[in-house]
Amino acid sequence: MARYARRWTMANAPGVIDARLVLPRATPAFTIHRRVWLGGGSWSTAVPLLPQHAWRLLRWRAGGWRRGVASIRRERLAQVADSMGIDPGLVEARLASLARRHGIPPGEALHFGLVAADGLTRWPEYVYRNEERWNAAAGGARGARQVLALGDKVATAERLAAAGVPTVPSLLVPPLPPGADWRRKALDWLDRWPQVHVKRRHGSRGVGAFELSEDRRLVLRQFQHDEAEADPVAWMAANATGHELLVQPRLESHAALVDVADPSDVVTIRAVTRDLGGGPELFCSWIEVPLPIAEGRQFYVLSRIDGDGVIRELAVAQWWRKELLDETRESGRQSAAVAASLRGRTVPGYAELVRHALLAHRQFPGLFAAAWDVAVTSEGNLFLEGNGGFGVDTPQVISGGLLRGIS
């Protein structure tokens, strides 16, 4: 019963809500929001989704929006109101209006600055976390196929390498059956590279990923804990058996960044590209610098990169991750110090990185948007993978709505 109540409380609307969604001549942004309701396709593909959509909408209308607004801490509302020079009550009222009338999660409305005076008109330019398959909806049937294609890390790397985009050397390992000799496999990989990073061919968020070093020590990467598994062979047998794996050399950060980056992970850049119909363009980019693992987790400093490759301010003030902002905590102090040290530095080879990101996007014609993960190493900027279902928070905080300017 408690779990049921929690799911009810956390429910979001299944998409944005507005009468303009059903207009035959809806604007391009509203057309995309409507396609999200349709599962990214047509009315025929939406039929199986209707009961689920109806249930989620009912929960939202029955009070989910009110609980969402109430979940925002009062001190945060006051903080935002003070920074904008408006009354906290007005901030709360605008959050409630956006949630009740348009189905917009209050946390995202606050994060994207939609409580500003023009926010009540700007909100259609954004996509939201409760809008599943938004990228497929924006790209149509052709784009939807390319989003699926990006999910195959091996095929994506092959497509990029063939086009001249620098990628990480990889070894594809077919699924091993139960009882396979994982120790022998691991030693074969370490004969090729002294340290390896292993991940599933199809997957995301680091699920099932791990690392092996030359001393045969297994380091878990799923939750980025800095601890060795007591029995690496048993762990691999339990977590990797039956999965097609991608084995790559473990990368080290560029020499220009080793003074700020913890060696537990490599510095990466996420470059988001978008195609409004005239070819891909850079939407935004930011650098992710690993901090030392603390409290059983690894945190990263995210800083925005300007068009000239210069690192600017902290990209995202993720207020729900207070440990990144609270300088009374170790992670908060480290984050502030690294962000200050990064500010004003130029990313090595940034112009070439952007050129390659646009080239990578062109290998997936019809794709609306992609987020490219690029490792910044002394051997060059190496593309790790492309993502079609990436998180929308950070890019839209940096550069505004992903649907802005679409026609």
Side-chain angles (χ1 to χ4, degrees), residues 25-328:
R25 294 185 179 179
T27 64
F30 275 108
T31 299
I32 293 170
H33 289 302
R34 178 170 62 206
R35 286 181 190 156
V36 170
W37 278 87
L38 303 178
S42 63
W43 287 106
S44 61
T45 63
V47 172
L49 300 173
L50 290 179
Q52 178 188 1
H53 283 348
W55 176 238
R56 290 178 63 187
L57 182 59
L58 173 63
R59 290 190 293 174
W60 185 253
R61 287 294 199 185
W65 68 268
R66 189 177 290 108
R67 285 184 285 270
V69 174
S71 69
I72 307 298
R73 294 178 179 175
R74 292 289 172 178
E75 59 265 30
R76 177 57 183 168
L77 289 175
Q79 196 177 44
V80 171
D82 182 64
S83 68
M84 301 178 70
I86 58 179
D87 184 77
L90 182 57
V91 171
E92 188 171 9
R94 287 174 176 172
L95 285 179
S97 176
L98 288 164
R100 179 177 57 83
R101 295 176 56 198
H102 301 300
I104 298 174
E108 289 179 83
L110 201 64
H111 199 41
F112 297 152
L114 299 181
V115 292
D118 63 346
L120 299 180
T121 58
R122 282 192 300 114
W123 70 263
E125 300 175 355
Y126 290 78
V127 292
Y128 305 92
R129 278 181 291 173
N130 61 331
E131 293 193 284
E132 299 172 11
R133 292 178 56 80
W134 62 268
N135 205 0
R142 191 184 188 195
R145 289 193 296 270
Q146 301 292 21
V147 171
L148 287 175
L150 273 175
D152 186 333
K153 297 179 177 64
V154 173
T156 295
E158 290 174 348
R159 198 182 296 195
L160 297 188
V165 177
T167 58
V168 182
S170 302
L171 174 66
L172 182 62
V173 180
L176 296 181
D181 188 347
W182 279 101
R183 179 175 297 279
R184 178 172 222 174
K185 276 291 177 186
L187 293 176
D188 288 345
W189 301 337
L190 293 170
D191 282 342
R192 183 183 295 250
W193 298 297
Q195 297 184 78
V196 294
H197 179 82
V198 187
K199 56 188 176 183
R200 296 174 183 176
R201 176 175 184 172
H202 301 276
S204 61
R205 303 183 186 278
V207 174
F210 60 94
E211 290 187 350
L212 290 167
S213 60
E214 56 190 346
D215 60 1
R216 312 308 193 251
R217 193 171 68 105
L218 177 66
V219 179
L220 288 176
R221 299 295 294 169
Q222 181 174 352
F223 298 106
Q224 296 170 316
H225 293 295
D226 189 18
E227 56 192 48
E229 188 67 19
D231 189 346
V233 175
W235 190 93
M236 286 188 287
N239 291 274
T241 296
H243 292 282
E244 200 169 11
L245 301 176
L246 197 60
V247 182
Q248 300 173 329
R250 189 182 186 281
L251 303 174
E252 296 182 355
S253 300
H254 193 284
L257 296 168
V258 292
D259 63 314
V260 289
D262 190 79
S264 55
D265 202 357
V266 65
V267 172
T268 58
I269 286 175
R270 173 157 281 200
V272 176
T273 53
R274 184 181 65 156
D275 188 350
L276 298 180
E281 299 175 345
L282 183 69
F283 183 71
C284 68
S285 66
W286 65 92
I287 192 168
E288 301 189 357
V289 178
L291 295 174
I293 295 172
E295 303 171 19
R297 297 171 62 193
Q298 183 157 45
F299 299 105
Y300 297 80
V301 172
L302 279 61
S303 292
R304 177 176 63 88
I305 304 173
D306 276 354
D308 55 2
V310 177
I311 301 170
R312 298 304 182 190
E313 73 276 0
L314 206 64
V316 191
Q318 293 177 318
W319 53 268
W320 59 88
R321 293 181 64 183
K322 190 178 179 183
E323 62 271 19
L324 286 181
L325 306 174
D326 186 354
E327 293 192 21
T328 65

